[in-house]
Amino acid sequence: MVGPVTGLSKSTRAALIPLFLVALGVVGIENALTRYFAVAKWSEYGYWIISIVMAGFALSGVAVALFRDTVERHGAWLRAVLPATMVLAAALGYERIARNPFNPLQLQNPTTWADQLLNIAGYYGALLPFFFLAGLYIALIFILNPREIGRVYAYDLIGAGLGSALALALMFLVHPFLLAPLLLVPLALAPLFQPGRFSTLGGALAGGALVLGEAILLLGTPPAYSEFKAVYAPMNTRGAEVVAEVRRPRGHYLMLDNFTERVDADVSNNASMMEVEGPPATYGLYRDGSRIAALPKAGGLGGGYADSALSAAPYMLRPRAGVLILGASGGFRLAEARALGAERLLVVESEPVLKHALTHGLGPSRGLALGDDVRLAEGGPLAVARAAGAAPGERFDVIDVSSDFIDAAPANVTALTVEAMQAYLAALDPDGMVSVPVSIRDFPVYAFRIMATAREALIRAGVERPEDHVMVYRSAWNARILISPTPWSEADVTALETFAAARSFDISWRPGLNIEAARAGLFNDLPVVSFESGTVISQGTDDAIAREAEAVLQGRDSPSSRAFNIRPQTLDRPAYYASLRLDRPTTLIHRLEVLPQAEIGALVNLVVLAQAALIALLVLAAPLMFRKRKVAAPEPRRLWPVLYFPSLGLGFLLIEIFLIDKAAFYLNDYSSAFALVLTSMLIFSGLGSLIAGRVVALPKVASFVSLIVVLGWIWLVFTQGEAVMLSTLDQPAWTRGLLVLAAAAPVSLALGLPFPLGLIQVGEGRMLPWAWGLNGAFSVVATPLANLMSREVGFSSLLMVGAALYVLAFLALPPGRQTRSTLDPLPVSSPA
């Protein structure tokens, strides 16, 4: 067996430049569509885009396999005209989704959900043609250049990686709704670099298609915020004005000025009797249509309302406190803490735009003069708490989590994990406390999840009776959970009861609480409701949290632990909105109308997974159709591709999603993590694919070396990864970014080898495009599957399953066989 021809003709190299541009444009438009869903709808529905992309690729692979001879015969002509058709398909599809009246809220209504299913089908009908054509183009390049599979796949991956990077860079410059018009340009440029007799025709068609496509996008139905987004009502209030706009890959920010914007503080119903002023008017800051904070107007940063706020209790219990505040809430949390007598403040603000607004201002909202008593910390909450715990002089009396902190940035969910609470407890003075807010508007289950997490942190800290270290008090809509490293004293219990009674708040748990006696004096009814039936169980006024608090804190079974997931949050399983039991689909369907919007993402993943699995099975069965078509040279039956390519499609994505999540925690920024990991993995995998063409004579050996690198990397991550991350959390952002790149590069290089090696092994027949489509079909299965696995089992499970899949792929790959593409010293197919 001899190696491949290493010398590439100039025309063949030029033929791969259009592939690079097409891959760049396709992935860029995929990013633009995902941003559209995040801004105009809700981000969890962006999983449909991934599903549509890979479905289009998979179906195109099957189509090319079925009609391989015809596609190859007309390959030069198709390669010239396909970019123009892709431009038009992308423009028409994007304009159609802007007109789609899809309303996610109506999916939760038993009388309206059927119409919304038709709207979802409309998304597929609008976008599938574009991604089918894109997949057709890529599969065409594979079958026209079977001797250069590694190089073709490398151009595809590197183009895709740079397309993702380009889309993210453009998000700094243009509105998310204008990304698609810009990203049509690389597609239209592709035919200009295509040599051969059809290049002029292709360039002319692409130029005309670009002009028409831009007209469709810019003059057709403009994308807009849907009416159910939080920003819609304030934007359409009389006199409302957008006073500032910030464009970032992490989100599109709008700052609004209208009379409805106020500090979202939970204040006592007795505030007027206490002669406490109400929360002041503010500017409202929205990211992707969701409100994340209030920003102060001139002279409006007073904290006079703080004494009546639910969050005030820790400051009453610990006068003149040294405080670590997680989330400045535009500066209002600082004003509240100062008004309540705090003397030393360290502030963690993880959301970069909010942090910049705090120090430098945003639009008409001026930056704050922090003063000598306030320091703004660098890094995320876990890093700051760990540093404080290691420095005795930095201990705090109160660690106060702001009510809007968790929703202000995706990476902030790690602030409520067991590991984070361990760090908080270590950073407190012995009589200090952690104050954690919980919304109980939907269910009290989130309070139980925080209590279960606190219990686990206390047990890891050596506490024998966690129930003596926790107190819970609440209003009608929100609860605060206080956690102390030492048991609560009688004086603390009495002080909290006095605080709550003066403000009509209720104590839902304290050491020794008599539940029945407490029911008689409740200010705010919180009835016990059966999730299965939706009926109220309790009679008279009641407190659903008080009914189960002791059982949760003692780790015993309770009604909520049976109906929901109330297990502790950890760095391996950090999702805050993950209380639904997915093993009870009938109950979820019956109670769909009351599910919190933040929980719907898991159900969307289930639906996408089901449809992805169906598509994958259809693609898997495609060879059955091959036998019904008469061809000159029938291909032998081979089972190994059925195991090999699905394993690679699943395994690669599982490892990629694991890396993105861990990098998001490490960098404290999901958008930067996504961009860095995705771009680096695609580019380094592309470089690995280039190596595949040089080791084709020894595919099993090369695959074994790749497997050893992957397994060794996974072993290092399991044994050393978390320790390295935690020990370097205090490093500058650029240093941590380089460490993420250093972690992603070697495994990505190894992951780039197996796929082209497998394509070379299947030969030049119909199995080649089918194998490419099969890999794509199972890649779309991987995304919802990974999200569900990480939610239910933990992110570490992605690595374990990924390792098993790559072992399976290695075992399935044959040691090498005699094929035309590996034996005959024929030139690469003419690029024509």
Side-chain angles (χ1 to χ4, degrees), residues 636-656:
R637 297 182 181 182
R638 285 170 284 181
L639 181 61
W640 69 267
V642 174
L643 296 175
Y644 188 78
F645 293 103
S647 296
L648 297 183
L650 285 169
F652 187 96
L653 265 293
L654 294 182
I655 293 173
E656 179 182 81

Side-chain angles (χ1 to χ4, degrees), residues 382 417-424 460 569-572 722:
L382 185 53
T417 59
V418 171
E419 293 86 349
M421 289 198 183
Q422 284 182 271
Y424 302 155
R460 292 188 186 184
Q569 295 168 242
T570 65
L571 289 179
D572 191 50
E722 187 167 298

Side-chain angles (χ1 to χ4, degrees), residues 268-337:
S268 167
N269 295 331
N270 303 342
S272 59
M273 292 187 293
M274 298 172 64
E275 298 183 352
V276 172
E277 61 187 56
T282 69
Y283 300 109
L285 184 63
Y286 295 78
R287 183 186 61 234
D288 290 348
S290 298
R291 194 174 192 271
I292 61 170
L295 294 180
K297 293 187 173 182
L301 197 60
Y305 59 90
D307 186 59
S308 67
L310 186 72
S311 55
Y315 300 89
M316 303 294 184
L317 270 62
R318 299 291 179 266
R320 300 182 298 279
V323 185
L324 172 61
I325 294 180
L326 306 186
S329 300
F332 286 100
R333 295 294 289 136
L334 308 185
E336 293 168 18

Side-chain angles (χ1 to χ4, degrees), residues 420-770:
M421 289 198 183
Q422 284 182 271
Y424 302 155
L425 292 171
L428 288 170
D429 283 329
D431 62 346
M433 70 185 75
V434 184
S435 175
V436 181
V438 184
S439 172
I440 54 176
R441 290 175 183 268
D442 298 309
F443 308 122
V445 65
Y446 298 111
F448 297 139
R449 291 202 71 203
I450 295 298
M451 293 162 69
T453 302
R455 175 181 183 273
E456 180 64 22
L458 287 164
I459 288 174
R460 292 188 186 184
V463 171
E464 294 183 359
R465 289 177 52 85
E467 62 269 30
D468 293 338
H469 296 248
V470 176
M471 293 197 290
V472 184
Y473 68 105
R474 65 176 181 84
S475 67
W477 309 111
N478 300 284
R480 277 270 168 178
I481 299 173
L482 305 181
I483 308 149
S484 173
T486 55
W488 292 106
S489 66
E490 286 294 332
D492 286 333
V493 171
T494 301
L496 183 63
E497 289 178 330
T498 301
F499 168 87
R503 293 160 180 79
S504 298
F505 297 142
D506 297 300
I507 307 293
S508 291
W509 174 252
R510 60 166 179 78
L513 178 70
N514 185 318
I515 298 172
E516 294 303 327
R519 286 182 65 184
L522 284 176
F523 297 104
N524 306 283
D525 187 25
L526 185 62
V528 179
V529 180
S530 167
F531 181 66
E532 284 79 5
S533 65
T535 57
V536 177
I537 296 176
S538 55
Q539 301 295 321
T541 57
D542 209 343
D543 189 330
I545 296 177
R547 287 289 180 189
E548 301 185 53
E550 186 173 27
V552 171
L553 290 170
Q554 292 178 350
R556 294 188 284 109
D557 188 33
S558 71
S560 288
S561 67
R562 294 189 293 270
F564 300 97
N565 287 325
I566 63 169
R567 59 199 173 197
Q569 295 168 242
T570 65
L571 289 179
D572 191 50
R573 196 173 54 212
Y576 180 70
Y577 298 107
S579 65
L580 299 184
R581 293 281 298 270
L582 300 183
D583 58 345
R584 300 185 178 184
T586 303
T587 300
L588 296 179
I589 292 171
H590 288 158
R591 303 294 292 141
L592 196 61
E593 71 277 5
V594 301
L595 298 183
Q597 174 58 38
E599 295 272 8
I600 295 297
L603 300 185
V604 174
N605 271 290
L606 280 176
V607 174
V608 172
L609 178 61
Q611 68 184 29
L614 178 61
I615 292 171
L617 291 175
L618 291 174
V619 175
L620 201 61
L624 298 176
M625 294 184 284
F626 295 171
R627 299 185 194 130
K628 298 179 180 180
R629 296 184 58 82
K630 295 180 180 180
V631 293
E635 297 182 48
R637 297 182 181 182
R638 285 170 284 181
L639 181 61
W640 69 267
V642 174
L643 296 175
Y644 188 78
F645 293 103
S647 296
L648 297 183
L650 285 169
F652 187 96
L653 265 293
L654 294 182
I655 293 173
E656 179 182 81
I657 291 171
F658 171 87
L659 268 172
I660 290 172
D661 174 79
K662 292 304 176 184
F665 158 69
Y666 189 52
L667 302 176
N668 206 43
D669 177 9
Y670 188 87
S671 298
S672 297
F674 180 86
L676 184 59
V677 171
L678 181 62
T679 302
S680 61
M681 284 196 71
L682 288 173
I683 291 175
F684 280 100
S685 294
L687 296 176
S689 183
L690 286 175
I691 298 172
R694 300 180 179 274
V695 295
V696 65
L698 298 169
K700 200 71 174 179
V701 173
S703 180
F704 179 73
V705 172
S706 170
L707 178 64
I708 293 300
V709 173
V710 171
L711 294 181
W713 180 88
I714 289 175
W715 178 80
L716 282 173
V717 169
F718 266 120
T719 57
Q720 306 295 328
E722 187 167 298
V724 171
M725 283 196 302
L726 293 178
S727 64
T728 55
L729 277 174
D730 57 347
Q731 295 299 306
W734 66 268
T735 302
R736 285 177 281 133
L738 288 177
L739 289 173
V740 169
L741 185 62
V747 72
S748 301
L749 199 68
L751 294 175
L753 273 169
F755 183 67
L757 288 174
L759 289 182
I760 292 168
Q761 286 290 86
V762 300
E764 300 179 19
R766 289 177 295 177
M767 297 290 281
L768 175 60
W770 170 72

Side-chain angles (χ1 to χ4, degrees), residues 287 326 401-416 436-437 569 576-577:
R287 183 186 61 234
L326 306 186
V401 183
S402 299
S403 59
D404 54 13
F405 183 70
I406 298 304
D407 294 325
N412 285 358
V413 294
T414 57
L416 296 184
V436 181
Q569 295 168 242
Y576 180 70
Y577 298 107

Side-chain angles (χ1 to χ4, degrees), residues 34-206:
T34 304
R35 287 297 298 136
Y36 166 82
F37 268 92
V39 176
K41 310 295 181 182
W42 275 313
S43 58
E44 51 263 30
Y45 295 95
Y47 294 126
W48 288 335
I49 300 299
I50 302 172
S51 175
I52 296 169
V53 172
M54 302 314 296
F57 284 7
L59 296 176
S60 66
V62 173
V64 172
L66 286 172
F67 304 97
R68 187 194 187 286
D69 294 340
T70 302
V71 171
E72 185 175 22
R73 187 165 57 252
H74 300 288
W77 179 81
L78 285 171
R79 194 165 47 193
V81 302
L82 276 174
T85 62
M86 281 188 274
V87 169
L88 285 178
L92 289 169
Y94 194 85
E95 200 273 339
R96 284 177 61 191
I97 69 170
R99 289 190 281 113
N100 192 314
F102 172 66
N103 186 334
L105 294 180
Q106 291 185 3
L107 273 176
Q108 296 180 247
N109 189 317
T111 63
T112 59
W113 67 270
D115 290 338
Q116 297 310 313
L117 292 182
L118 294 176
N119 290 333
I120 294 171
Y123 284 131
Y124 280 79
L127 298 176
L128 194 59
F130 168 67
F131 291 109
F132 177 83
L133 291 169
L136 186 64
Y137 184 93
I138 298 170
L140 174 65
I141 303 302
F142 274 118
I143 65 173
L144 292 181
N145 297 278
R147 296 292 305 276
E148 288 295 334
I149 293 295
R151 193 177 299 271
V152 170
Y153 192 50
Y155 272 68
D156 179 31
L157 287 179
I158 295 173
L162 293 178
S164 176
L166 175 62
L168 288 160
L170 288 174
M171 291 177 198
F172 284 99
L173 304 174
V174 301
H175 192 287
F177 295 159
L178 295 177
L179 289 173
L182 290 173
L183 291 164
L184 291 181
V185 175
L187 297 176
L189 291 176
L192 301 180
F193 296 88
Q194 181 62 57
R197 63 185 184 277
F198 294 114
S199 60
T200 302
L201 172 64
L205 290 174

